[in-house]
Amino acid sequence: MKILKTISEVKEYIKPLKLKDQIIGFVPTMGALHDGHIALGEEARYECDCLIYSIFVNPTQFGPNEDLDKYPRDLDGDIAKLEAIDVDAVFIPDRSVIYPENYKTYVKVDELGNILCGKSRVDHFQGVTTVVSKLFNIVQCDEAYFGKKDIQQFIILKKMVEDLNMPVKMISVDTVREDDGLAKSSRNTYLSADERAAAPVLYRSMVTAKKNIDLYFSPEELIEDVHTMISMEPLAKIEYIELRRYNDLSEVEDLSEEGILLILAVRFGTTRLIDNMLLR
Ligand code: AMP
């Protein structure tokens, strides 16, 4: 596996691939890789001639009081995991490679970035869209793979690609979970033993809502029930529970609609977990 650190190294690496019309698949990550990240590459392997990952803890998507400095890092472990699935190359830029001094340009998708997680994480999605558009320009990928776990992120990035005519096929991959249903996340390592034991309530409540969806008269009623289920765990502090349409995150008016997404953010101590499930 080739380790690429600079933009010119990436350019040199992809030049012969582009000449041979090889399909480049790309998986952007912030490292501390787990099975969820690896599932993206495994899916890409079927479709692409060359598979490239990036590992970059992107400072512009962290707010001033967020966990940028303590975000988990495990570069040696990450490289071993990527080698084990035959990744062709990994791009690991320094911060100054992506954001040199006097950097000025940001990409923003209107409205979609201000709802759900965007309410408490101001500018978060602008950081994500900016870094992903830069990475797409550098890696020149044909296809890019993202997790459904971060569904708002995926929908925003898809809109960006459509609006800016980026020649990238966007593919989303199912959420990989622990045996008890907790979605795998690099941030799960922050949870204390008690918080970790409480966290699967998110999955259980989503599964129950999915099973019972026909028993509710209104979106509000369903949300209230999920709220009650999650609140039974004293360690869970709910930030939001919402129903949104899968295609564009617009608000759901009627539970008989297709493509209803239950989407939530809940804090356990200082750790903020997000998850979602397609109910129909
Ligand atoms: P991150 O390193 O958190 O920026 O995540 C990199 C990519 O991995 C994003 O597209 C995430 O949606 C995806 N991802 C993270 N956790 C999971 C998971 N449990 N299952 C599937 N994909 C995931």
Side-chain angles (χ1 to χ4, degrees), residues 82-99:
L82 297 181
E83 274 174 339
I85 58 159
D86 273 339
V87 169
D88 297 291
V90 57
F91 178 40
I92 314 176
D94 278 343
R95 182 182 176 144
S96 61
V97 169
I98 300 296
Y99 300 112

PDB file of all heavy atoms in Angstrom, residues 82-99:
ATOM      1  N   LEU A  82      -5.865  -1.126   6.795  1.00  0.00           N
ATOM      2  CA  LEU A  82      -6.049  -0.848   5.364  1.00  0.00           C
ATOM      3  C   LEU A  82      -5.238  -1.833   4.521  1.00  0.00           C
ATOM      4  O   LEU A  82      -5.697  -2.292   3.466  1.00  0.00           O
ATOM      5  CB  LEU A  82      -5.653   0.601   5.039  1.00  0.00           C
ATOM      6  CG  LEU A  82      -6.516   1.667   5.727  1.00  0.00           C
ATOM      7  CD1 LEU A  82      -6.061   3.065   5.332  1.00  0.00           C
ATOM      8  CD2 LEU A  82      -8.001   1.477   5.390  1.00  0.00           C
ATOM      9  N   GLU A  83      -4.045  -2.185   5.008  1.00  0.00           N
ATOM     10  CA  GLU A  83      -3.245  -3.177   4.273  1.00  0.00           C
ATOM     11  C   GLU A  83      -3.961  -4.524   4.228  1.00  0.00           C
ATOM     12  O   GLU A  83      -3.937  -5.230   3.220  1.00  0.00           O
ATOM     13  CB  GLU A  83      -1.858  -3.326   4.913  1.00  0.00           C
ATOM     14  CG  GLU A  83      -0.927  -2.273   4.348  1.00  0.00           C
ATOM     15  CD  GLU A  83       0.452  -2.219   4.994  1.00  0.00           C
ATOM     16  OE1 GLU A  83       0.591  -2.710   6.136  1.00  0.00           O
ATOM     17  OE2 GLU A  83       1.356  -1.656   4.355  1.00  0.00           O
ATOM     18  N   ALA A  84      -4.651  -4.842   5.323  1.00  0.00           N
ATOM     19  CA  ALA A  84      -5.339  -6.144   5.413  1.00  0.00           C
ATOM     20  C   ALA A  84      -6.467  -6.268   4.393  1.00  0.00           C
ATOM     21  O   ALA A  84      -6.843  -7.379   4.022  1.00  0.00           O
ATOM     22  CB  ALA A  84      -5.883  -6.347   6.833  1.00  0.00           C
ATOM     23  N   ILE A  85      -7.025  -5.148   3.934  1.00  0.00           N
ATOM     24  CA  ILE A  85      -8.079  -5.255   2.906  1.00  0.00           C
ATOM     25  C   ILE A  85      -7.571  -4.793   1.537  1.00  0.00           C
ATOM     26  O   ILE A  85      -8.353  -4.450   0.647  1.00  0.00           O
ATOM     27  CB  ILE A  85      -9.385  -4.499   3.281  1.00  0.00           C
ATOM     28  CG1 ILE A  85      -9.129  -3.004   3.539  1.00  0.00           C
ATOM     29  CG2 ILE A  85     -10.087  -5.146   4.458  1.00  0.00           C
ATOM     30  CD1 ILE A  85     -10.393  -2.153   3.403  1.00  0.00           C
ATOM     31  N   ASP A  86      -6.226  -4.786   1.395  1.00  0.00           N
ATOM     32  CA  ASP A  86      -5.634  -4.505   0.085  1.00  0.00           C
ATOM     33  C   ASP A  86      -5.966  -3.149  -0.497  1.00  0.00           C
ATOM     34  O   ASP A  86      -6.226  -3.026  -1.708  1.00  0.00           O
ATOM     35  CB  ASP A  86      -6.076  -5.578  -0.937  1.00  0.00           C
ATOM     36  CG  ASP A  86      -5.147  -6.765  -0.902  1.00  0.00           C
ATOM     37  OD1 ASP A  86      -4.011  -6.574  -0.428  1.00  0.00           O
ATOM     38  OD2 ASP A  86      -5.574  -7.847  -1.320  1.00  0.00           O
ATOM     39  N   VAL A  87      -6.002  -2.153   0.361  1.00  0.00           N
ATOM     40  CA  VAL A  87      -6.174  -0.787  -0.144  1.00  0.00           C
ATOM     41  C   VAL A  87      -4.925  -0.442  -0.958  1.00  0.00           C
ATOM     42  O   VAL A  87      -3.803  -0.824  -0.608  1.00  0.00           O
ATOM     43  CB  VAL A  87      -6.366   0.174   1.054  1.00  0.00           C
ATOM     44  CG1 VAL A  87      -6.292   1.628   0.631  1.00  0.00           C
ATOM     45  CG2 VAL A  87      -7.695  -0.123   1.725  1.00  0.00           C
ATOM     46  N   ASP A  88      -5.095   0.269  -2.079  1.00  0.00           N
ATOM     47  CA  ASP A  88      -3.952   0.559  -2.945  1.00  0.00           C
ATOM     48  C   ASP A  88      -3.110   1.725  -2.426  1.00  0.00           C
ATOM     49  O   ASP A  88      -1.891   1.697  -2.521  1.00  0.00           O
ATOM     50  CB  ASP A  88      -4.451   0.869  -4.367  1.00  0.00           C
ATOM     51  CG  ASP A  88      -5.140  -0.344  -4.965  1.00  0.00           C
ATOM     52  OD1 ASP A  88      -4.432  -1.325  -5.244  1.00  0.00           O
ATOM     53  OD2 ASP A  88      -6.382  -0.334  -5.093  1.00  0.00           O
ATOM     54  N   ALA A  89      -3.799   2.748  -1.914  1.00  0.00           N
ATOM     55  CA  ALA A  89      -3.044   3.918  -1.436  1.00  0.00           C
ATOM     56  C   ALA A  89      -3.832   4.638  -0.364  1.00  0.00           C
ATOM     57  O   ALA A  89      -5.067   4.598  -0.344  1.00  0.00           O
ATOM     58  CB  ALA A  89      -2.777   4.878  -2.597  1.00  0.00           C
ATOM     59  N   VAL A  90      -3.087   5.285   0.550  1.00  0.00           N
ATOM     60  CA  VAL A  90      -3.752   6.101   1.571  1.00  0.00           C
ATOM     61  C   VAL A  90      -3.095   7.476   1.579  1.00  0.00           C
ATOM     62  O   VAL A  90      -1.868   7.597   1.549  1.00  0.00           O
ATOM     63  CB  VAL A  90      -3.745   5.417   2.965  1.00  0.00           C
ATOM     64  CG1 VAL A  90      -2.338   5.081   3.431  1.00  0.00           C
ATOM     65  CG2 VAL A  90      -4.438   6.297   4.003  1.00  0.00           C
ATOM     66  N   PHE A  91      -3.955   8.495   1.559  1.00  0.00           N
ATOM     67  CA  PHE A  91      -3.489   9.883   1.558  1.00  0.00           C
ATOM     68  C   PHE A  91      -3.568  10.396   2.988  1.00  0.00           C
ATOM     69  O   PHE A  91      -4.654  10.422   3.579  1.00  0.00           O
ATOM     70  CB  PHE A  91      -4.374  10.695   0.606  1.00  0.00           C
ATOM     71  CG  PHE A  91      -4.050  12.162   0.524  1.00  0.00           C
ATOM     72  CD1 PHE A  91      -2.727  12.618   0.509  1.00  0.00           C
ATOM     73  CD2 PHE A  91      -5.074  13.112   0.421  1.00  0.00           C
ATOM     74  CE1 PHE A  91      -2.433  13.973   0.407  1.00  0.00           C
ATOM     75  CE2 PHE A  91      -4.786  14.473   0.322  1.00  0.00           C
ATOM     76  CZ  PHE A  91      -3.461  14.897   0.318  1.00  0.00           C
ATOM     77  N   ILE A  92      -2.428  10.757   3.557  1.00  0.00           N
ATOM     78  CA  ILE A  92      -2.384  11.224   4.961  1.00  0.00           C
ATOM     79  C   ILE A  92      -1.708  12.595   4.976  1.00  0.00           C
ATOM     80  O   ILE A  92      -0.520  12.710   5.256  1.00  0.00           O
ATOM     81  CB  ILE A  92      -1.620  10.220   5.862  1.00  0.00           C
ATOM     82  CG1 ILE A  92      -2.066   8.773   5.589  1.00  0.00           C
ATOM     83  CG2 ILE A  92      -1.813  10.569   7.333  1.00  0.00           C
ATOM     84  CD1 ILE A  92      -1.291   7.714   6.366  1.00  0.00           C
ATOM     85  N   PRO A  93      -2.473  13.633   4.636  1.00  0.00           N
ATOM     86  CA  PRO A  93      -1.851  14.961   4.556  1.00  0.00           C
ATOM     87  C   PRO A  93      -1.693  15.600   5.931  1.00  0.00           C
ATOM     88  O   PRO A  93      -2.487  15.343   6.827  1.00  0.00           O
ATOM     89  CB  PRO A  93      -2.853  15.759   3.710  1.00  0.00           C
ATOM     90  CG  PRO A  93      -4.172  15.106   3.995  1.00  0.00           C
ATOM     91  CD  PRO A  93      -3.914  13.663   4.304  1.00  0.00           C
ATOM     92  N   ASP A  94      -0.687  16.459   6.067  1.00  0.00           N
ATOM     93  CA  ASP A  94      -0.618  17.333   7.242  1.00  0.00           C
ATOM     94  C   ASP A  94      -1.653  18.438   7.070  1.00  0.00           C
ATOM     95  O   ASP A  94      -2.069  18.728   5.956  1.00  0.00           O
ATOM     96  CB  ASP A  94       0.768  17.984   7.333  1.00  0.00           C
ATOM     97  CG  ASP A  94       1.757  17.037   7.978  1.00  0.00           C
ATOM     98  OD1 ASP A  94       1.314  16.058   8.615  1.00  0.00           O
ATOM     99  OD2 ASP A  94       2.969  17.273   7.815  1.00  0.00           O
ATOM    100  N   ARG A  95      -1.965  19.055   8.180  1.00  0.00           N
ATOM    101  CA  ARG A  95      -2.934  20.157   8.156  1.00  0.00           C
ATOM    102  C   ARG A  95      -2.537  21.246   7.144  1.00  0.00           C
ATOM    103  O   ARG A  95      -3.361  21.775   6.406  1.00  0.00           O
ATOM    104  CB  ARG A  95      -2.991  20.727   9.578  1.00  0.00           C
ATOM    105  CG  ARG A  95      -3.965  21.820   9.751  1.00  0.00           C
ATOM    106  CD  ARG A  95      -3.882  22.320  11.190  1.00  0.00           C
ATOM    107  NE  ARG A  95      -4.773  23.463  11.331  1.00  0.00           N
ATOM    108  CZ  ARG A  95      -5.482  23.721  12.414  1.00  0.00           C
ATOM    109  NH1 ARG A  95      -5.411  22.943  13.456  1.00  0.00           N
ATOM    110  NH2 ARG A  95      -6.269  24.770  12.467  1.00  0.00           N
ATOM    111  N   SER A  96      -1.221  21.549   7.064  1.00  0.00           N
ATOM    112  CA  SER A  96      -0.768  22.644   6.188  1.00  0.00           C
ATOM    113  C   SER A  96      -0.898  22.279   4.707  1.00  0.00           C
ATOM    114  O   SER A  96      -0.897  23.151   3.849  1.00  0.00           O
ATOM    115  CB  SER A  96       0.678  23.010   6.511  1.00  0.00           C
ATOM    116  OG  SER A  96       1.491  21.876   6.288  1.00  0.00           O
ATOM    117  N   VAL A  97      -1.004  20.986   4.399  1.00  0.00           N
ATOM    118  CA  VAL A  97      -1.194  20.572   3.003  1.00  0.00           C
ATOM    119  C   VAL A  97      -2.616  20.930   2.560  1.00  0.00           C
ATOM    120  O   VAL A  97      -2.851  21.389   1.438  1.00  0.00           O
ATOM    121  CB  VAL A  97      -0.935  19.046   2.848  1.00  0.00           C
ATOM    122  CG1 VAL A  97      -1.373  18.541   1.482  1.00  0.00           C
ATOM    123  CG2 VAL A  97       0.530  18.732   3.100  1.00  0.00           C
ATOM    124  N   ILE A  98      -3.568  20.735   3.449  1.00  0.00           N
ATOM    125  CA  ILE A  98      -4.974  21.000   3.113  1.00  0.00           C
ATOM    126  C   ILE A  98      -5.315  22.479   3.346  1.00  0.00           C
ATOM    127  O   ILE A  98      -6.030  23.086   2.555  1.00  0.00           O
ATOM    128  CB  ILE A  98      -5.901  20.085   3.956  1.00  0.00           C
ATOM    129  CG1 ILE A  98      -5.591  18.599   3.681  1.00  0.00           C
ATOM    130  CG2 ILE A  98      -7.382  20.373   3.677  1.00  0.00           C
ATOM    131  CD1 ILE A  98      -5.851  18.133   2.258  1.00  0.00           C
ATOM    132  N   TYR A  99      -4.819  23.033   4.444  1.00  0.00           N
ATOM    133  CA  TYR A  99      -5.116  24.433   4.751  1.00  0.00           C
ATOM    134  C   TYR A  99      -3.805  25.208   4.910  1.00  0.00           C
ATOM    135  O   TYR A  99      -3.360  25.454   6.041  1.00  0.00           O
ATOM    136  CB  TYR A  99      -5.934  24.535   6.037  1.00  0.00           C
ATOM    137  CG  TYR A  99      -7.274  23.815   5.963  1.00  0.00           C
ATOM    138  CD1 TYR A  99      -7.520  22.673   6.717  1.00  0.00           C
ATOM    139  CD2 TYR A  99      -8.290  24.279   5.112  1.00  0.00           C
ATOM    140  CE1 TYR A  99      -8.749  22.010   6.644  1.00  0.00           C
ATOM    141  CE2 TYR A  99      -9.513  23.622   5.037  1.00  0.00           C
ATOM    142  CZ  TYR A  99      -9.737  22.496   5.805  1.00  0.00           C
ATOM    143  OH  TYR A  99     -10.943  21.839   5.733  1.00  0.00           O
TER     144      TYR A  99
END
